[in-house]
Amino acid sequence: MSMFETLLGELMGLMLLSPIVLAAPITIYWLFNQDPRKAKPLAYLAVIGLGVSAIIATYIEIAFPWMNIAYNMPWMIIPTPSGSFTIYVSFIVNFLSRNMGLLTAWLAFIIGVYSLDYLADDYRLGWFWFFYNLFAASMLLMVYANDLLFMFIGWEGLGFSSWALIGHWYKDDDELSYVGRFGERLILNKPAWTTPSYAAYRAIATIRFGDMPMLGAIAAIGILGGSLILTPVNGVSAINWPHVISVLGVGGTVALLLAFMLGPYTKSAQVPFNDWLLTAMTGPTSVSALLHSATMVAAGVYIFMRLTESLYMAGALTSAGVEIVYLTTVYIGLLTALLGALFATMIDERKVILAGSTMSSLGFMMGVTALTPFIPQTLTVGMYVVPLAVLVAFSYLIIHALAKATLFLVSGHLIHVTHTRFNMGDWEFGKRMKAAFYAALAAAISLGGVPPLAGYWIHAAMDEVATETVSVVGYGAYILMLLASLAYVAFLSRFVSLNFIKGERPHTHEEHGKYPLMVAAYIITGTAALASLAIPFVLQPAIFISAGVDPIVIAVGIVLWIIFIIALIKPRVGNLGLITRIFERRYYIQTFMDVVLAGFGLALTLAAFYIYKGFDILFNFLIPDAFNALSRYIRSIQRGYLRTYLEMLLVTLAIAILVILIIIALLM
């Protein structure tokens, strides 16, 4: 094992353990003394643990050469019908992991700093900081893992931590933490609002629906592919994808990859598994900021990118079964992008608007990544070879993470100072909240796709990728992408306008400078979003520039600016009747999940219960009682006389002959 590999292993251990170890003191203290004033100093220790991880991620970004470096330590040997394969404690530094790790670690740290103010007087500080740091550590494990099993361990850590954080305010005693308008009802008198405790349950239930088949697919990949390693490094064999595909055939490959992709579909909130993401806004805003920027929901897209990279390196990306799954994912992703963007144009809750925005962005990332098999072009970034569609989608992931973290952090500050989760803020309010106004505007224009900021060049490259694959995937994908882009910029502008320019004047307003750490955090991320203009040109300038100077793309960019300005001036479109109601009810997906599916599940449960009770009565009561009665009858006629048995035999024989004669008569 080389010096680089040994050093990487040590750094990974320190990076993953420091957030958890340094969050332990506040957790232990909170278990025995729940006074937030005394526990608060220990929260700084938890944030220091996040800072250690961020520094290590920065060191990995700078110190290691631009090539695939891995740490592999054999852990266990699994027997298979054709031999065995080894599960490794395996970490890798490649193009995706080094940049994703850097982004994740620093955003977790900055949002952690924000949380020192945001949750200063919270009644569950120990609970929050333990699960927040476990959440960040789990994401980092998933990002750097090169073995699918270890990646799945990080994946599960994310799911468990998200349940704990979404339901953080489990008492459900503050309407400010709800999602939906309190008091409104759905069909069958079901509530249209969601409480923190129920939102946490909905999140974990939806995610588990995808995790179970995903784990089964990972096991099948290991058995058939002889390995769980995604990227072959240092002589360690990777998954033998051609063998997996040849054994399973087209239908089996489709089934295997769809089972695997159910994990990313659910965790990255693709239609129809998106509603948990919207109701997850019941958690603290700092949780929403981290969950929606570079961790939880981005995990599904990230693992899909790693899967795509692995299939590409194995030369298996263009096989028929793989292409069917990827084509399906293109349309699932871009439909999600459009529905999320349209939804966000109508909703009036700050955080839920941003959740719809995240849903839309995840759809863009998923759909563009899925175009990889249909555009074989690859690029060299440093010493890495990266498929073009993956590079474009990952570039969008970076700018989305910075902008979305900013918007959520601003939203949390607005909720604190206005005491409402709904849009509220006029021009006078905006002038008093200059820092928040600046950060929100910076994030909106950076992400919205308006020229000449980062989002424009990345959207141009996405447009280029979609255009070049039209002959294979059809015009539907391109049309979905264009419509989603137009709606996307509208709701970003609408969010800024309704909270700083054209919204209602807040009824209450606290001092702006009361939360200096919160303000500092979103100024940093908002400025980083503006500075992300450099990202496309650092990664691959020729691709983004050639796409951005296309006359049609420039025209679209101008249209996006026009839409942005119109939405600033007129952020409300009025009540559109049924359309508005459909959007406000989140396409009735919650109704379907909570009423139809839950009712169907209840009916199945009751049916199973009554079937079980029927079998129980039949085999434990009716049949035994019948045999007991027969036995008693037989004993009652057993007198020991031969004449009695002859009479019984003759009667039985007569009945048998009578039955036979009746059957013969019927047949004739």
Side-chain angles (χ1 to χ4, degrees):
M1 188 175 290
S2 70
M3 179 184 69
F4 277 134
E5 296 168 46
T6 303
L7 177 60
L8 178 60
E10 294 171 350
L11 290 173
M12 286 293 113
L14 183 60
M15 173 188 284
L16 298 175
L17 290 176
S18 60
I20 300 172
V21 171
L22 292 179
I26 190 172
T27 303
I28 295 170
Y29 181 83
W30 172 78
L31 288 172
F32 298 99
N33 188 337
Q34 299 187 15
D35 185 349
R37 292 171 300 173
K38 296 180 179 179
K40 184 178 178 181
L42 294 175
Y44 288 87
L45 195 60
V47 175
I48 289 172
L50 297 168
V52 171
S53 294
I55 291 170
I56 293 173
T58 306
Y59 178 80
I60 290 173
E61 176 79 20
I62 296 171
F64 286 92
W66 277 76
M67 62 177 67
N68 293 336
I69 302 292
Y71 170 83
N72 298 307
M73 183 181 75
W75 183 37
M76 64 175 70
I77 298 175
I78 305 296
T80 68
S82 59
S84 64
F85 71 91
T86 303
I87 294 178
Y88 288 88
V89 178
S90 180
F91 302 107
I92 189 169
V93 178
N94 62 5
F95 171 75
L96 289 175
S97 68
R98 71 188 300 146
N99 292 299
M100 188 70 181
L102 183 70
L103 181 70
T104 299
W106 276 107
L107 280 178
F109 171 69
I110 293 171
I111 296 169
V113 172
Y114 174 96
S115 302
L116 293 172
D117 267 357
Y118 185 80
L119 291 165
D121 301 316
D122 193 79
Y123 61 87
R124 297 182 91 194
L125 285 179
W127 176 279
F128 172 83
W129 285 109
F130 175 78
F131 283 107
Y132 182 90
N133 282 25
L134 178 63
F135 191 81
S138 297
M139 184 65 188
L140 290 171
L141 171 60
M142 201 214 75
V143 165
Y144 287 103
N146 195 31
D147 183 280
L148 275 177
L149 181 59
F150 267 79
M151 186 175 283
F152 189 77
I153 292 171
W155 181 270
E156 287 299 283
L158 283 173
F160 177 58
S161 302
S162 67
W163 163 81
L165 293 169
I166 292 168
H168 176 76
W169 289 315
Y170 71 102
K171 295 181 180 180
D172 299 340
D173 56 356
D174 186 0
E175 186 267 336
L176 198 61
S177 65
Y178 292 6
V179 166
R181 293 190 181 276
F182 183 71
E184 292 187 0
R185 295 278 175 176
L186 301 171
I187 61 173
L188 300 180
N189 206 35
K190 295 289 184 179
W193 67 93
T194 307
T195 61
S197 60
Y198 187 53
Y201 161 75
R202 296 183 87 242
I204 199 70
T206 306
I207 292 166
R208 282 292 171 271
F209 181 80
D211 289 355
M212 290 185 288
M214 182 183 182
L215 180 59
I218 289 173
I221 290 168
I223 292 170
L224 297 175
S227 175
L228 290 175
I229 295 291
L230 286 170
T231 305
V233 184
N234 304 336
V236 177
S237 299
I239 300 164
N240 188 349
W241 285 110
H243 182 259
V244 174
I245 292 168
S246 66
V247 169
L248 294 177
V250 174
T253 301
V254 170
L256 177 69
L257 290 181
L258 283 178
F260 183 90
M261 286 301 296
L262 271 174
Y265 288 161
T266 52
K267 193 154 286 187
S268 286
Q270 301 300 289
V271 170
F273 309 110
N274 55 283
D275 200 60
W276 75 265
L277 180 68
L278 307 176
T279 56
M281 296 303 94
T282 58
T285 301
S286 47
V287 172
S288 304
L290 186 61
L291 186 148
H292 282 251
S293 57
T295 55
M296 176 76 167
V297 295
V301 174
Y302 175 79
I303 206 170
F304 182 44
M305 292 177 181
R306 291 288 302 275
L307 174 70
T308 303
E309 182 183 60
S310 181
L311 286 165
Y312 168 77
M313 289 186 292
L317 199 55
T318 54
S319 64
V322 174
E323 287 192 346
I324 291 171
V325 174
Y326 273 65
L327 183 60
T328 302
T329 306
V330 168
Y331 281 95
I332 288 175
L334 295 179
L335 179 62
T336 301
L338 178 59
L339 292 178
L342 290 174
F343 161 80
T345 60
M346 294 289 183
I347 293 298
D348 204 34
E349 291 179 71
R350 291 178 175 125
K351 288 170 61 177
V352 182
I353 288 175
L354 299 180
S357 162
T358 300
M359 170 185 159
S360 182
S361 294
L362 293 169
F364 278 126
M365 297 175 214
M366 194 72 78
V368 172
T369 301
L371 290 171
T372 304
F374 314 110
I375 179 168
Q377 185 177 354
T378 57
L379 303 168
T380 301
V381 184
M383 297 180 68
Y384 299 125
V385 176
V386 186
L388 172 61
V390 172
L391 177 70
V392 173
F394 188 69
S395 303
Y396 186 79
L397 188 155
I398 295 173
I399 175 59
H400 170 264
L402 295 171
K404 194 53 57 68
T406 303
L407 291 170
F408 267 108
L409 297 182
V410 168
S411 182
H413 193 182
L414 294 178
I415 292 172
H416 258 42
V417 300
T418 63
H419 304 293
T420 178
R421 53 192 168 89
F422 294 94
N423 292 318
M424 185 169 288
D426 58 2
W427 180 247
E428 290 299 319
F429 177 76
K431 288 192 291 185
R432 291 198 298 270
M433 299 283 288
K434 292 183 179 66
F437 192 177
Y438 154 75
L441 186 60
I445 61 176
S446 297
L447 184 59
V450 297
L453 296 165
Y456 169 74
W457 302 101
I458 294 170
H459 273 273
M462 289 164 57
D463 178 90
E464 183 78 11
V465 170
T467 302
E468 292 191 17
T469 57
V470 160
S471 60
V472 181
V473 303
Y475 282 96
Y478 180 79
I479 293 170
L480 285 172
M481 184 181 293
L482 180 61
L483 292 175
S485 298
L486 297 176
Y488 200 99
V489 72
F491 73 72
L492 286 173
S493 176
R494 177 174 176 267
F495 176 86
V496 174
S497 182
L498 289 177
N499 286 290
F500 298 102
I501 302 174
K502 303 283 286 186
E504 297 178 21
R505 180 162 297 182
H507 304 301
T508 59
H509 176 248
E510 294 185 10
E511 183 183 352
H512 179 233
K514 186 178 178 180
Y515 308 104
L517 294 178
M518 291 166 61
V519 174
Y522 59 66
I523 286 177
I524 291 171
T525 55
T527 304
L530 282 178
S532 65
L533 171 62
I535 289 174
F537 307 108
V538 170
L539 293 177
Q540 196 64 229
I543 293 295
F544 292 98
I545 291 174
S546 63
V549 298
D550 182 273
I552 295 177
V553 174
I554 293 173
V556 171
I558 294 171
V559 171
L560 292 179
W561 261 122
I562 293 171
I563 293 173
F564 188 89
I565 293 169
I566 291 174
L568 277 180
I569 298 170
K570 188 174 177 55
R572 297 190 186 277
V573 295
N575 192 325
L576 300 179
L578 179 62
I579 295 176
T580 300
R581 191 167 183 81
I582 289 173
F583 287 144
E584 288 180 344
R585 291 287 187 268
R586 305 193 297 274
Y587 306 113
Y588 287 93
I589 291 177
Q590 180 183 0
T591 306
F592 179 74
M593 297 289 185
D594 293 358
V595 177
V596 179
L597 286 188
F600 179 67
L602 178 61
L604 284 181
T605 302
L606 291 174
F609 172 76
Y610 286 119
I611 290 171
Y612 160 75
K613 292 298 291 183
F615 277 106
D616 181 56
I617 293 171
L618 178 65
F619 288 104
N620 291 330
F621 296 98
L622 295 181
I623 293 177
D625 289 349
F627 273 98
N628 286 333
L630 180 62
S631 298
R632 286 193 299 270
Y633 172 72
I634 292 173
R635 286 196 301 271
S636 70
I637 63 176
Q638 286 180 326
R639 300 183 179 91
Y641 296 108
L642 180 61
R643 188 182 66 184
T644 302
Y645 291 109
L646 286 174
E647 290 174 354
M648 292 171 58
L649 179 62
L650 289 173
V651 171
T652 303
L653 183 62
I655 293 172
I657 292 171
L658 180 61
V659 170
I660 291 171
L661 291 174
I662 292 172
I663 292 173
I664 292 172
L666 291 173
L667 292 175
M668 293 178 64

PDB file of all heavy atoms in Angstrom, residues 619-636:
ATOM      1  N   PHE A 619     -58.754 -24.268  11.847  1.00  0.00           N
ATOM      2  CA  PHE A 619     -57.804 -25.315  12.233  1.00  0.00           C
ATOM      3  C   PHE A 619     -57.671 -25.487  13.747  1.00  0.00           C
ATOM      4  O   PHE A 619     -57.246 -26.549  14.207  1.00  0.00           O
ATOM      5  CB  PHE A 619     -56.426 -25.012  11.628  1.00  0.00           C
ATOM      6  CG  PHE A 619     -56.379 -25.215  10.148  1.00  0.00           C
ATOM      7  CD1 PHE A 619     -56.397 -24.135   9.280  1.00  0.00           C
ATOM      8  CD2 PHE A 619     -56.344 -26.501   9.616  1.00  0.00           C
ATOM      9  CE1 PHE A 619     -56.368 -24.325   7.910  1.00  0.00           C
ATOM     10  CE2 PHE A 619     -56.318 -26.699   8.240  1.00  0.00           C
ATOM     11  CZ  PHE A 619     -56.329 -25.607   7.386  1.00  0.00           C
ATOM     12  N   ASN A 620     -57.989 -24.439  14.501  1.00  0.00           N
ATOM     13  CA  ASN A 620     -57.840 -24.557  15.956  1.00  0.00           C
ATOM     14  C   ASN A 620     -59.148 -24.854  16.683  1.00  0.00           C
ATOM     15  O   ASN A 620     -59.121 -25.217  17.864  1.00  0.00           O
ATOM     16  CB  ASN A 620     -57.221 -23.281  16.536  1.00  0.00           C
ATOM     17  CG  ASN A 620     -55.774 -23.112  16.119  1.00  0.00           C
ATOM     18  OD1 ASN A 620     -55.069 -24.089  15.899  1.00  0.00           O
ATOM     19  ND2 ASN A 620     -55.329 -21.871  15.997  1.00  0.00           N
ATOM     20  N   PHE A 621     -60.269 -24.685  15.972  1.00  0.00           N
ATOM     21  CA  PHE A 621     -61.553 -24.898  16.649  1.00  0.00           C
ATOM     22  C   PHE A 621     -62.462 -25.852  15.863  1.00  0.00           C
ATOM     23  O   PHE A 621     -62.828 -26.915  16.360  1.00  0.00           O
ATOM     24  CB  PHE A 621     -62.264 -23.560  16.884  1.00  0.00           C
ATOM     25  CG  PHE A 621     -61.516 -22.633  17.811  1.00  0.00           C
ATOM     26  CD1 PHE A 621     -60.719 -21.609  17.315  1.00  0.00           C
ATOM     27  CD2 PHE A 621     -61.592 -22.805  19.194  1.00  0.00           C
ATOM     28  CE1 PHE A 621     -60.021 -20.776  18.169  1.00  0.00           C
ATOM     29  CE2 PHE A 621     -60.898 -21.976  20.046  1.00  0.00           C
ATOM     30  CZ  PHE A 621     -60.115 -20.962  19.541  1.00  0.00           C
ATOM     31  N   LEU A 622     -62.842 -25.473  14.624  1.00  0.00           N
ATOM     32  CA  LEU A 622     -63.840 -26.249  13.899  1.00  0.00           C
ATOM     33  C   LEU A 622     -63.380 -27.671  13.608  1.00  0.00           C
ATOM     34  O   LEU A 622     -64.094 -28.649  13.904  1.00  0.00           O
ATOM     35  CB  LEU A 622     -64.206 -25.527  12.598  1.00  0.00           C
ATOM     36  CG  LEU A 622     -64.901 -24.165  12.754  1.00  0.00           C
ATOM     37  CD1 LEU A 622     -65.219 -23.568  11.386  1.00  0.00           C
ATOM     38  CD2 LEU A 622     -66.173 -24.309  13.588  1.00  0.00           C
ATOM     39  N   ILE A 623     -62.199 -27.814  12.981  1.00  0.00           N
ATOM     40  CA  ILE A 623     -61.720 -29.161  12.631  1.00  0.00           C
ATOM     41  C   ILE A 623     -61.455 -30.006  13.874  1.00  0.00           C
ATOM     42  O   ILE A 623     -61.909 -31.158  13.953  1.00  0.00           O
ATOM     43  CB  ILE A 623     -60.479 -29.068  11.723  1.00  0.00           C
ATOM     44  CG1 ILE A 623     -60.885 -28.474  10.360  1.00  0.00           C
ATOM     45  CG2 ILE A 623     -59.830 -30.429  11.536  1.00  0.00           C
ATOM     46  CD1 ILE A 623     -59.731 -28.274   9.400  1.00  0.00           C
ATOM     47  N   PRO A 624     -60.726 -29.466  14.878  1.00  0.00           N
ATOM     48  CA  PRO A 624     -60.540 -30.285  16.098  1.00  0.00           C
ATOM     49  C   PRO A 624     -61.866 -30.654  16.766  1.00  0.00           C
ATOM     50  O   PRO A 624     -62.046 -31.792  17.222  1.00  0.00           O
ATOM     51  CB  PRO A 624     -59.702 -29.372  16.998  1.00  0.00           C
ATOM     52  CG  PRO A 624     -58.987 -28.476  16.062  1.00  0.00           C
ATOM     53  CD  PRO A 624     -59.947 -28.230  14.962  1.00  0.00           C
ATOM     54  N   ASP A 625     -62.814 -29.697  16.827  1.00  0.00           N
ATOM     55  CA  ASP A 625     -64.100 -30.006  17.452  1.00  0.00           C
ATOM     56  C   ASP A 625     -64.857 -31.072  16.665  1.00  0.00           C
ATOM     57  O   ASP A 625     -65.521 -31.955  17.259  1.00  0.00           O
ATOM     58  CB  ASP A 625     -64.953 -28.742  17.559  1.00  0.00           C
ATOM     59  CG  ASP A 625     -64.422 -27.770  18.614  1.00  0.00           C
ATOM     60  OD1 ASP A 625     -63.531 -28.178  19.388  1.00  0.00           O
ATOM     61  OD2 ASP A 625     -64.888 -26.612  18.642  1.00  0.00           O
ATOM     62  N   ALA A 626     -64.771 -31.019  15.322  1.00  0.00           N
ATOM     63  CA  ALA A 626     -65.447 -32.030  14.500  1.00  0.00           C
ATOM     64  C   ALA A 626     -64.862 -33.416  14.741  1.00  0.00           C
ATOM     65  O   ALA A 626     -65.598 -34.414  14.863  1.00  0.00           O
ATOM     66  CB  ALA A 626     -65.331 -31.642  13.021  1.00  0.00           C
ATOM     67  N   PHE A 627     -63.538 -33.486  14.804  1.00  0.00           N
ATOM     68  CA  PHE A 627     -62.904 -34.782  15.060  1.00  0.00           C
ATOM     69  C   PHE A 627     -63.247 -35.283  16.465  1.00  0.00           C
ATOM     70  O   PHE A 627     -63.460 -36.485  16.685  1.00  0.00           O
ATOM     71  CB  PHE A 627     -61.393 -34.675  14.882  1.00  0.00           C
ATOM     72  CG  PHE A 627     -60.949 -34.887  13.465  1.00  0.00           C
ATOM     73  CD1 PHE A 627     -60.682 -33.809  12.631  1.00  0.00           C
ATOM     74  CD2 PHE A 627     -60.821 -36.172  12.954  1.00  0.00           C
ATOM     75  CE1 PHE A 627     -60.292 -34.001  11.324  1.00  0.00           C
ATOM     76  CE2 PHE A 627     -60.423 -36.375  11.636  1.00  0.00           C
ATOM     77  CZ  PHE A 627     -60.158 -35.295  10.813  1.00  0.00           C
ATOM     78  N   ASN A 628     -63.284 -34.378  17.424  1.00  0.00           N
ATOM     79  CA  ASN A 628     -63.660 -34.782  18.787  1.00  0.00           C
ATOM     80  C   ASN A 628     -65.095 -35.327  18.819  1.00  0.00           C
ATOM     81  O   ASN A 628     -65.379 -36.341  19.471  1.00  0.00           O
ATOM     82  CB  ASN A 628     -63.532 -33.602  19.750  1.00  0.00           C
ATOM     83  CG  ASN A 628     -62.093 -33.269  20.065  1.00  0.00           C
ATOM     84  OD1 ASN A 628     -61.220 -34.138  19.998  1.00  0.00           O
ATOM     85  ND2 ASN A 628     -61.820 -32.011  20.423  1.00  0.00           N
ATOM     86  N   ALA A 629     -65.986 -34.650  18.115  1.00  0.00           N
ATOM     87  CA  ALA A 629     -67.379 -35.113  18.079  1.00  0.00           C
ATOM     88  C   ALA A 629     -67.482 -36.480  17.408  1.00  0.00           C
ATOM     89  O   ALA A 629     -68.216 -37.368  17.865  1.00  0.00           O
ATOM     90  CB  ALA A 629     -68.242 -34.085  17.339  1.00  0.00           C
ATOM     91  N   LEU A 630     -66.727 -36.658  16.296  1.00  0.00           N
ATOM     92  CA  LEU A 630     -66.733 -37.946  15.613  1.00  0.00           C
ATOM     93  C   LEU A 630     -66.190 -39.047  16.511  1.00  0.00           C
ATOM     94  O   LEU A 630     -66.720 -40.171  16.565  1.00  0.00           O
ATOM     95  CB  LEU A 630     -65.919 -37.839  14.322  1.00  0.00           C
ATOM     96  CG  LEU A 630     -65.823 -39.126  13.481  1.00  0.00           C
ATOM     97  CD1 LEU A 630     -67.221 -39.553  13.017  1.00  0.00           C
ATOM     98  CD2 LEU A 630     -64.906 -38.907  12.267  1.00  0.00           C
ATOM     99  N   SER A 631     -65.118 -38.702  17.228  1.00  0.00           N
ATOM    100  CA  SER A 631     -64.527 -39.688  18.140  1.00  0.00           C
ATOM    101  C   SER A 631     -65.507 -40.079  19.236  1.00  0.00           C
ATOM    102  O   SER A 631     -65.645 -41.267  19.582  1.00  0.00           O
ATOM    103  CB  SER A 631     -63.243 -39.124  18.765  1.00  0.00           C
ATOM    104  OG  SER A 631     -62.285 -38.847  17.783  1.00  0.00           O
ATOM    105  N   ARG A 632     -66.190 -39.089  19.786  1.00  0.00           N
ATOM    106  CA  ARG A 632     -67.164 -39.396  20.832  1.00  0.00           C
ATOM    107  C   ARG A 632     -68.300 -40.275  20.304  1.00  0.00           C
ATOM    108  O   ARG A 632     -68.776 -41.202  20.974  1.00  0.00           O
ATOM    109  CB  ARG A 632     -67.730 -38.094  21.421  1.00  0.00           C
ATOM    110  CG  ARG A 632     -66.748 -37.351  22.328  1.00  0.00           C
ATOM    111  CD  ARG A 632     -67.453 -36.258  23.140  1.00  0.00           C
ATOM    112  NE  ARG A 632     -68.077 -35.252  22.294  1.00  0.00           N
ATOM    113  CZ  ARG A 632     -67.456 -34.148  21.876  1.00  0.00           C
ATOM    114  NH1 ARG A 632     -66.177 -33.924  22.215  1.00  0.00           N
ATOM    115  NH2 ARG A 632     -68.080 -33.275  21.127  1.00  0.00           N
ATOM    116  N   TYR A 633     -68.723 -39.971  19.057  1.00  0.00           N
ATOM    117  CA  TYR A 633     -69.799 -40.778  18.460  1.00  0.00           C
ATOM    118  C   TYR A 633     -69.345 -42.213  18.251  1.00  0.00           C
ATOM    119  O   TYR A 633     -70.070 -43.173  18.560  1.00  0.00           O
ATOM    120  CB  TYR A 633     -70.233 -40.159  17.131  1.00  0.00           C
ATOM    121  CG  TYR A 633     -71.197 -41.029  16.361  1.00  0.00           C
ATOM    122  CD1 TYR A 633     -72.522 -41.184  16.784  1.00  0.00           C
ATOM    123  CD2 TYR A 633     -70.771 -41.728  15.227  1.00  0.00           C
ATOM    124  CE1 TYR A 633     -73.403 -42.006  16.096  1.00  0.00           C
ATOM    125  CE2 TYR A 633     -71.645 -42.541  14.529  1.00  0.00           C
ATOM    126  CZ  TYR A 633     -72.954 -42.687  14.972  1.00  0.00           C
ATOM    127  OH  TYR A 633     -73.815 -43.512  14.292  1.00  0.00           O
ATOM    128  N   ILE A 634     -68.119 -42.359  17.715  1.00  0.00           N
ATOM    129  CA  ILE A 634     -67.606 -43.712  17.480  1.00  0.00           C
ATOM    130  C   ILE A 634     -67.488 -44.484  18.787  1.00  0.00           C
ATOM    131  O   ILE A 634     -67.851 -45.666  18.883  1.00  0.00           O
ATOM    132  CB  ILE A 634     -66.247 -43.650  16.750  1.00  0.00           C
ATOM    133  CG1 ILE A 634     -66.446 -43.122  15.318  1.00  0.00           C
ATOM    134  CG2 ILE A 634     -65.579 -45.010  16.725  1.00  0.00           C
ATOM    135  CD1 ILE A 634     -65.158 -42.862  14.578  1.00  0.00           C
ATOM    136  N   ARG A 635     -66.986 -43.782  19.817  1.00  0.00           N
ATOM    137  CA  ARG A 635     -66.864 -44.460  21.110  1.00  0.00           C
ATOM    138  C   ARG A 635     -68.242 -44.843  21.679  1.00  0.00           C
ATOM    139  O   ARG A 635     -68.402 -45.842  22.372  1.00  0.00           O
ATOM    140  CB  ARG A 635     -66.126 -43.568  22.099  1.00  0.00           C
ATOM    141  CG  ARG A 635     -64.631 -43.476  21.829  1.00  0.00           C
ATOM    142  CD  ARG A 635     -63.877 -42.925  23.041  1.00  0.00           C
ATOM    143  NE  ARG A 635     -64.341 -41.597  23.419  1.00  0.00           N
ATOM    144  CZ  ARG A 635     -63.834 -40.469  22.923  1.00  0.00           C
ATOM    145  NH1 ARG A 635     -62.865 -40.546  22.013  1.00  0.00           N
ATOM    146  NH2 ARG A 635     -64.287 -39.307  23.311  1.00  0.00           N
ATOM    147  N   SER A 636     -69.227 -43.999  21.371  1.00  0.00           N
ATOM    148  CA  SER A 636     -70.565 -44.272  21.913  1.00  0.00           C
ATOM    149  C   SER A 636     -71.192 -45.527  21.320  1.00  0.00           C
ATOM    150  O   SER A 636     -72.051 -46.165  21.939  1.00  0.00           O
ATOM    151  CB  SER A 636     -71.479 -43.069  21.682  1.00  0.00           C
ATOM    152  OG  SER A 636     -71.787 -42.929  20.311  1.00  0.00           O
TER     153      SER A 636
END
